[in-house]
Amino acid sequence: MKLFKKKTSAPDTSKIKHIAFIMDGNGRWATRRGMPREYGHTVGAKVFRRIVEYCSDIGINCVTVYAFSTENWKRPEKEVSALMELFRVYLKDAVATMMKRDIRIVFLGDKSLFPEDIRETMLGIERDSINNKNRLNIAMNYGGRDEIVHAVNELIAEGKKEICEEDITSHLYTLDAPMPDLIVRTAGEIRTSNFLMWQSAYSEYYFTDKLWPDLNERDVDEAVCVFNRRKRNFGGV
Ligand code: FPP
């Protein structure tokens, strides 16, 4: 007789409409293995795909990942180029899977700074997946403050003299996506790093010491279980 039942079932995700990930720790993961930082990003990209697919498997219909911030351009040229190359390969590669899973891909951030071929790929992916039901937001050249400034400038251009919260919400890069219920950050850093500043007002955070390339499906289960035990009252009682 088995004394302990092996836990194989997926966690209850009914309260999570939107999960977001700050994918941190790629550089440290590689350095600890005596490898260049870029190698950490390559492994991180594989993990990105695996985790997005798992979220879709367990019924979370909206996922956001922080892939490249407005500040990441300040990294050494070698690392930025390696990331661009990874985006080149990975975006094309990931798109087939996303189409099969009925996932609409939206890029959060100002696309104008990317090399033209990457920008064209991003626009093509957004166009081709626009009618898909589920959502993957990939934050690239993204900053939360920049997003709010961008929204306000659009409102000014529309001639608004006075604005309300809904105006800003509807002009964010996230468009009509629900607000994130849960934000997971890896690599032991307890900060939000300019990610979804407006949208995260009532998000629950889950921080883990695990580095992004080490994150797996069981860690997502654990984050969801912790979230399910939290009491959310959105400022009420
Ligand atoms: C932060 O770790 C990670 C990044 C700046 C890049 C994240 C990008 C990926 C995982 C690739 C995703 C690919 C696609 C196509 C979306 P870090 O380098 O800051 O790590 P460190 O804090 O250990 O230095």
Side-chain angles (χ1 to χ4, degrees):
M1 191 182 79
K2 276 192 186 138
L3 288 178
F4 299 102
K5 218 169 128 198
K6 202 171 156 215
K7 187 176 164 248
T8 50
S9 58
D12 172 15
T13 57
S14 59
K15 290 195 220 131
I16 303 184
K17 290 197 175 65
H18 181 178
I19 188 169
F21 294 92
I22 302 178
M23 309 185 286
D24 196 10
N26 292 345
R28 273 167 279 175
W29 188 89
T31 305
R32 281 179 199 172
R33 284 163 179 75
M35 300 294 280
R37 294 175 52 80
E38 296 74 35
Y39 179 64
H41 297 312
T42 305
V43 177
K46 292 196 175 100
V47 173
F48 145 76
R49 184 169 170 170
R50 182 171 151 188
I51 295 294
V52 169
E53 290 190 30
Y54 183 64
C55 290
S56 146
D57 288 342
I58 61 174
I60 302 177
N61 298 329
C62 180
V63 179
T64 299
V65 291
Y66 204 178
F68 194 85
S69 76
T70 43
E71 287 72 38
N72 285 156
W73 297 106
K74 291 187 241 158
R75 293 190 175 206
E77 213 238 297
K78 180 170 167 259
E79 185 170 342
V80 172
S81 306
L83 276 165
M84 293 304 133
E85 198 45 44
L86 207 54
F87 295 148
R88 243 175 220 115
V89 174
Y90 239 84
L91 292 180
K92 285 200 181 118
D93 176 70
V95 77
T97 314
M98 302 311 167
M99 292 306 279
K100 246 188 269 155
R101 288 174 177 263
D102 204 10
I103 296 174
R104 174 182 179 189
I105 299 180
V106 173
F107 294 95
L108 315 183
D110 176 6
K111 297 182 188 69
S112 69
L113 291 190
F114 287 101
E116 196 184 339
D117 65 310
I118 297 184
R119 200 166 60 240
E120 287 303 316
T121 304
M122 291 160 96
L123 288 168
I125 289 173
E126 285 187 332
R127 214 172 31 238
D128 294 346
S129 67
I130 197 164
N131 293 318
N132 291 353
K133 241 183 29 256
N134 306 309
R135 175 74 80 84
L136 170 63
N137 297 314
I138 305 180
M140 274 171 61
N141 188 29
Y142 173 86
R145 289 182 180 174
D146 175 70
E147 180 179 39
I148 295 167
V149 170
H150 175 263
V152 172
N153 278 328
E154 279 196 349
L155 290 160
I156 292 170
E158 287 168 19
K160 289 258 186 201
K161 295 274 176 288
E162 200 182 322
I163 56 172
C164 62
E165 289 191 8
E166 285 70 29
D167 290 325
I168 296 200
T169 301
S170 62
H171 285 73
L172 296 173
Y173 292 123
T174 37
L175 305 171
D176 56 347
M179 297 294 163
D181 298 293
L182 173 61
I183 300 179
V184 174
R185 180 170 190 152
T186 56
E189 311 297 345
I190 317 292
R191 56 175 170 266
T192 61
S193 296
N194 205 11
F195 184 51
L196 302 178
M197 282 186 76
W198 181 274
Q199 300 89 330
S200 63
Y202 286 102
S203 301
E204 296 293 326
Y205 281 88
Y206 176 84
F207 297 101
T208 170
D209 287 339
K210 273 201 162 184
L211 305 178
W212 176 257
D214 288 327
L215 203 80
N216 63 37
E217 292 83 348
R218 298 294 73 80
D219 299 312
V220 176
D221 288 353
E222 176 61 17
V224 170
C225 289
V226 169
F227 170 87
N228 284 338
R229 292 198 293 272
R230 302 245 178 105
K231 189 171 175 299
R232 301 177 84 195
N233 53 21
F234 299 93
V237 286

